[in-house]
């Protein structure tokens, strides 16, 4: 006995939020997810503010947590909660190697799908970041993946056309056939409204559904993207038990009856 494993497909859904300390706001994150009552494929979190060794403390039922914490300081850091039914592997070979950028990449096995979470430090060099992104997207274009890059980029897309580094950032994605799925502010204060959180993808816009979710997890809104592409998952099927009528089992059954009753049961042989 045991369980059988089969493969099925379901839509890919990604949730991202800058949580500004997972330790402080993990319960708020869980509360928001419970209110939404929707099981996301991947939950991306930026600015987790953890150190290596702490990430096992964050147990979200039904998910596996992988994260990259900063080694030099406690701030920043990114992580992905991945549905336990989704087979994946880390893609450290795709990491952006820069102290001002926290990032983590996974590949969903057998589906040619990549999901990443990225956090760029504010006030760091945008031109250097753009060069890193351009090189990454060039590599990904050769691998022919469906890609979703979620994160807090600390680049206000509402300044597109008015601020050269921001325009270059967006145009870099455009040049590789990627689009931002969010086009409204994701962080609003008393004095400003900025669009700095997003999910970029090369999946066609006709296959996408995106949302901004108002939450009290932090001072950032959560962003969501649901894509009409199949994700292969493993399902546990219900175990089915059946009687074994081979000769050995029948003989054992007869012996057990004899022990209980002291008599040999009547048996009938069928042709």
């Amino acid at each position: 006995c045991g369980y059988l494993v089969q493969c099925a497909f379901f839509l890919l859904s990604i949730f991202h939020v800058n949580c500004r300390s997972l330790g402080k706001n993990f319960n708020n994150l869980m509360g928001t997810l419970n209110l939404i009552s929707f099981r996301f494929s991947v939950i991306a979190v930026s600015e987790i503010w953890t150190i290596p060794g702490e990430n096992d403390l964050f147990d979200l039922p039904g998910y596996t947590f992988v994260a990259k914490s900063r080694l030099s300081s406690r701030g920043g850091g990114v992580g992905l909660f991945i549905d336990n039914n989704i087979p994946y592997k880390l893609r450290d070979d795709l990491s952006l190697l820069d102290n001002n950028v926290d990032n983590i990449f996974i590949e969903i096995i057998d589906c040619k799908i990549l999901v990443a979470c990225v956090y760029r430090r504010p006030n760091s060099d945008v031109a250097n970041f753009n060069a890193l992104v351009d090189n990454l997207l060039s590599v990904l274009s050769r691998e022919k993946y469906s890609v979703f890059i979620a994160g807090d980029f600390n680049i206000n897309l509402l300044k597109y056309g008015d601020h050269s580094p921001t325009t270059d950032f967006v145009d870099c994605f455009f040049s590789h056939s990627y689009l931002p799925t969010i086009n409204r502010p994701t962080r609003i204060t008393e004095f400003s409204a900025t669009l700095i959180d997003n999910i970029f993808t090369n999946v066609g816009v006709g296959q996408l559904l995106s949302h901004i979710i108002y939450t009290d997890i932090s001072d950032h809104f959560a962003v969501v993207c649901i894509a009409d592409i199949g994700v292969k998952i493993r399902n546990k099927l219900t175990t089915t038990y059946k009687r074994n009528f081979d000769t050995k089992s029948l003989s054992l059954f007869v012996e057990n009856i004899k022990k209980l009753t002291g008599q040999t049961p009547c048996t009938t042989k069928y042709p």
Side-chain angles (χ1 to χ4, degrees):
C1 19
Y3 61 82
L4 300 175
V5 177
Q6 74 170 9
C7 289
F9 289 87
F10 74 145
L11 299 183
L12 179 70
S13 55
I14 299 170
F15 174 103
H16 168 266
V17 68
N18 178 323
C19 61
R20 292 187 59 81
S21 175
L22 200 53
K24 176 183 177 183
N25 292 315
F26 184 63
N27 287 338
N28 289 340
L29 172 63
M30 292 186 67
T32 296
L33 294 171
N34 287 334
L35 284 173
I36 295 173
S37 272
F38 182 89
R39 187 173 182 83
F40 294 98
S41 313
V42 180
I43 298 165
V45 284
S46 54
E47 278 209 275
I48 57 177
W49 295 6
T50 62
I51 58 175
E54 289 184 340
N55 297 322
D56 291 340
L57 301 175
F58 305 106
D59 180 24
L60 193 60
Y63 289 86
T64 300
F65 186 48
V66 294
K68 292 287 183 71
S69 303
R70 285 185 185 168
L71 300 177
S72 57
S73 63
R74 192 175 182 87
V78 292
L80 298 169
F81 291 93
I82 307 153
D83 187 306
N84 285 342
N85 291 315
I86 297 177
Y88 75 93
K89 64 181 179 181
L90 287 168
R91 288 293 303 269
D92 291 334
D93 57 305
L94 299 175
S95 294
L96 303 174
L97 302 178
D98 188 293
N99 290 333
N100 292 313
V101 183
D102 303 308
N103 56 107
I104 187 168
F105 289 78
I106 64 163
E107 176 182 344
I108 298 178
I109 296 172
D110 296 330
C111 294
K112 298 290 284 185
I113 297 172
L114 292 170
V115 180
C117 185
V118 176
Y119 175 73
R120 186 190 74 87
R121 291 191 189 193
N123 304 316
S124 59
D125 189 340
V126 178
N128 183 63
F129 180 64
N130 289 345
L132 291 171
V133 170
D134 184 49
N135 182 66
L136 169 68
L137 298 182
S138 296
V139 171
L140 296 181
S141 66
R142 293 193 292 270
E143 297 198 23
K144 306 296 183 185
Y145 282 90
S146 296
V147 183
F148 298 83
I149 303 176
D152 174 3
F153 302 92
N154 278 305
I155 299 174
N156 182 12
L157 268 59
L158 299 179
K159 290 186 175 181
Y160 178 78
D162 298 323
H163 181 251
S164 293
T166 298
T167 303
D168 291 343
F169 171 69
V170 177
D171 285 348
C172 175
F173 277 100
F174 285 167
S175 69
H176 292 278
S177 300
Y178 284 71
L179 291 173
T181 59
I182 304 299
N183 59 9
R184 295 289 187 272
T186 58
R187 186 170 184 263
I188 298 176
T189 69
E190 183 180 355
F191 305 104
S192 66
T194 55
L195 171 50
I196 57 178
D197 307 274
N198 224 306
I199 303 173
F200 288 88
T201 182
N202 59 352
V203 173
V205 66
Q207 298 174 265
L208 302 173
L209 184 65
S210 59
H211 300 276
I212 297 172
I213 299 177
Y214 178 81
T215 76
D216 60 358
I217 298 172
S218 70
D219 57 349
H220 292 247
F221 298 157
V223 295
V224 169
C225 177
I226 301 173
D228 186 14
I229 56 176
V231 177
K232 195 180 234 183
I233 64 171
R234 293 188 298 257
N235 282 337
K236 293 183 179 180
L237 300 183
T238 304
T239 302
T240 301
Y241 295 92
K242 64 179 183 179
R243 296 184 185 277
N244 189 344
F245 291 103
D246 62 21
T247 303
K248 182 178 178 181
S249 298
L250 285 172
S251 298
L252 182 60
F253 175 74
V254 170
E255 290 300 318
N256 287 334
I257 294 296
K258 287 172 64 176
K259 289 178 182 178
L260 289 172
T261 65
Q263 299 178 357
T264 301
C266 177
T267 60
T268 301
K269 290 186 179 181
Y270 295 93

